[in-house]
Amino acid sequence: MSIVPPAATLQAYHASHGMKHFFQQLAIAALALLLLAAAGLYALSLLFPDLCGNTVLADTFSPEQRHKAVVFQRDCGATTGFSTHVSVIGAQDALPNESGNVFTADDNRGAVPTSAAGGPVVQVRWVSGNAMVITHHAGARVFKQKDSVLGVAVAYERL
């Protein structure tokens, strides 16, 4: 005597395995798309390493010539406005092509005076070998304002 399962049971069995196979294929396709997108972004980063550029406006060396504060404009293309940045780096170091490590501000959509380079006017002065003051317009829109970097204390004056 052989036991034959009812037809409904066989259909349910085949349907559940069919759905399982479908979801496995869907997961593989999603993973493949994710890997393809990551590879594309990596390739674009190699072709266009940095769409932003820095224009140095002033280098101000610390009294003992150990550090320098670099005031610069950063331009990241037509869809962004100009911004003024300040980085504190070693006296012999070149400014990296990145945002300022201490201070970043823009002109608050034209609300404050700008330099010839396009961003808000910012001034730096050293008060000692490990302390400096950054002066900027009170109406500037400030995005970054650190109190210290590389062992240098930073104070701010708003005009």
Side-chain angles (χ1 to χ4, degrees):
M1 174 168 121
S2 70
I3 300 177
V4 177
T9 305
L10 285 175
Q11 286 177 342
Y13 173 80
H14 289 296
S16 69
H17 280 336
M19 289 302 287
K20 182 178 178 183
H21 180 71
F22 170 75
F23 284 117
Q24 285 176 340
Q25 294 296 330
L26 187 62
I28 290 169
L31 182 60
L33 281 174
L34 184 64
L35 289 173
L36 186 61
L41 288 174
Y42 178 72
L44 283 175
S45 73
L46 293 177
L47 290 173
F48 305 104
D50 197 347
L51 299 175
C52 298
N54 295 337
T55 302
V56 174
L57 303 176
D59 283 332
T60 307
F61 288 87
S62 62
E64 80 290 340
Q65 306 288 311
R66 191 168 154 215
H67 294 98
K68 66 181 169 184
V70 182
V71 179
F72 60 99
Q73 300 294 321
R74 185 156 177 84
D75 177 17
C76 291
T79 61
T80 63
F82 291 97
S83 54
T84 304
H85 297 245
V86 178
S87 280
V88 174
I89 58 178
Q92 302 303 315
D93 294 340
L95 179 66
N97 191 18
E98 56 191 35
S99 296
N101 64 3
V102 176
F103 179 81
T104 304
D106 72 7
D107 66 356
N108 200 5
R109 298 179 183 94
V112 301
T114 59
S115 69
V121 176
V122 172
Q123 296 176 334
V124 172
R125 81 175 184 280
W126 289 90
V127 293
S128 72
N130 60 357
M132 60 185 278
V133 176
I134 295 175
T135 304
H136 64 89
H137 193 282
R141 187 168 50 167
V142 176
F143 298 101
K144 181 186 290 182
Q145 184 172 308
K146 290 194 173 180
D147 294 328
S148 68
V149 66
L150 297 178
V152 175
V154 184
Y156 294 89
E157 290 179 352
R158 295 167 44 134
L159 300 176

